[in-house]
Amino acid sequence: DKLPMLHNLLGMALDEKKGELEAMHVAHCKDATGIFLSHLKQYLEPLTKLSYNINEAEYADFQVNDPFAKAFNSATDIVYRHAKAVFNTSSCEEIMQGMATRIVARVERDAKGKKFSLLGALQFESDVRVLCSFFTHVSEQGLRHKFARLFEMSSLLSLESVDELREFLGDAQALRLTTE
């Protein structure tokens, strides 16, 4: 008689503790993400100073001497390997997902304040692809959707005419970008 009631109470208590532990896990992973990003801050600085209003010679130089994305990925790979070595798979995944979210927000914020030439737009798209490729490679869960707005920005920046814009807007089912 009382056994089912005891099972029910224990089940509810365990569910409550499970929720508390999951919330703590997420909070601590966010803290770890912040710590790791503070170590990567110096590798984000080139992005702040980088001009995407470039000519052909600068574009050619950027193709050979990547000014941002590859060095950032190399440093982030070191952080990833460390996280993978010391955290369980779930925590490492949560941290990498959080890092991707915050990096995307940072790149988008910085890009909104820049001027772009057509070649700069191509370089921006290349940088976004390099970043997305890295995070896709190290993550077990899908995260390309986190980069969707950046890919839309790069597509819009690469358009050369009003006709191309009309075609782009006609093909776009649902843009993630807004006028904000």
Side-chain angles (χ1 to χ4, degrees), residues 137-151:
H137 175 72
V138 300
S139 180
E140 294 180 14
Q141 297 177 15
L143 54 65
R144 285 187 58 82
H145 65 281
K146 294 177 187 280
F147 290 85
R149 288 173 52 89
L150 290 176
F151 281 123

Side-chain angles (χ1 to χ4, degrees), residues 127-144:
D127 289 345
V128 171
R129 287 191 188 287
V130 167
L131 294 171
C132 183
S133 176
F134 170 78
F135 281 102
T136 300
H137 175 72
V138 300
S139 180
E140 294 180 14
Q141 297 177 15
L143 54 65
R144 285 187 58 82

Side-chain angles (χ1 to χ4, degrees), residues 23-92:
M24 279 179 35
H25 177 255
V26 169
H28 288 303
C29 287
K30 282 184 181 180
D31 290 344
T33 298
I35 291 167
F36 288 139
L37 285 173
S38 71
H39 289 290
L40 294 171
K41 188 176 184 177
Q42 66 182 329
Y43 297 98
L44 286 169
E45 283 306 309
L47 175 64
T48 304
K49 299 172 185 168
L50 184 63
S51 172
Y52 285 104
N53 192 10
I54 59 174
N55 60 33
E56 287 183 35
E58 291 166 317
Y59 180 73
D61 182 51
F62 284 4
Q63 296 305 295
V64 176
N65 304 305
D66 181 83
F68 160 66
K70 290 178 185 172
F72 178 78
N73 281 357
S74 293
T76 306
D77 187 53
I78 292 168
V79 168
Y80 165 70
R81 285 189 274 127
H82 173 73
K84 189 174 177 183
V86 299
F87 293 114
N88 65 38
T89 303
S90 175
S91 298
C92 187

Side-chain angles (χ1 to χ4, degrees), residues 105-120:
R106 169 72 186 269
V107 170
E108 185 175 331
R109 186 178 62 244
D110 282 2
K112 286 179 180 178
K114 295 186 181 294
K115 292 184 180 197
F116 289 83
S117 65
L118 182 58
L119 292 172

